Amino acid sequence: MNKVYDLYAPCHFGLESMLKREIVDIGYEPDRVEDGRVYFKGDAEAIARANVWLRTTERVLLKVGEF
């Protein structure tokens, strides 16, 4: 069974809609879009695919906590 992680991809301000479109194009559904970042859910394969194929983000980060 694949574990689903909460992920987010930071980007420059103004590129959020383009990043959201890229996430949809690689097969994942964005949860929410904020200034400078897009949140989505995915498994370990999603982390690898997003790090390779997303062009408008520097990296894909794993959300480990929230306060």
Side-chain angles (χ1 to χ4, degrees), residues 5 8 10-13 15 17-18 22-23 37 42 45 50 52 56 60-62 65-66:
Y5 300 101
Y8 71 95
C11 64
H12 292 288
F13 294 108
L15 295 178
S17 64
M18 188 178 298
E22 286 183 351
I23 291 171
R37 65 188 64 159
E45 182 181 343
V52 171
T56 55
V60 175
L61 302 171
L62 177 66
E66 186 174 29

Side-chain angles (χ1 to χ4, degrees), residues 33-56:
V33 178
E34 293 181 358
D35 289 340
R37 65 188 64 159
V38 178
Y39 292 87
F40 64 104
K41 293 187 186 320
D43 56 1
E45 182 181 343
I47 296 171
R49 289 184 63 183
N51 273 311
V52 171
W53 294 108
L54 296 180
R55 298 173 291 169
T56 55

Side-chain angles (χ1 to χ4, degrees), residues 11-29:
C11 64
H12 292 288
F13 294 108
L15 295 178
E16 296 91 353
S17 64
M18 188 178 298
L19 177 57
K20 179 181 175 183
R21 192 172 332 121
E22 286 183 351
I23 291 171
V24 170
D25 288 345
I26 63 171
Y28 302 101
E29 186 63 34

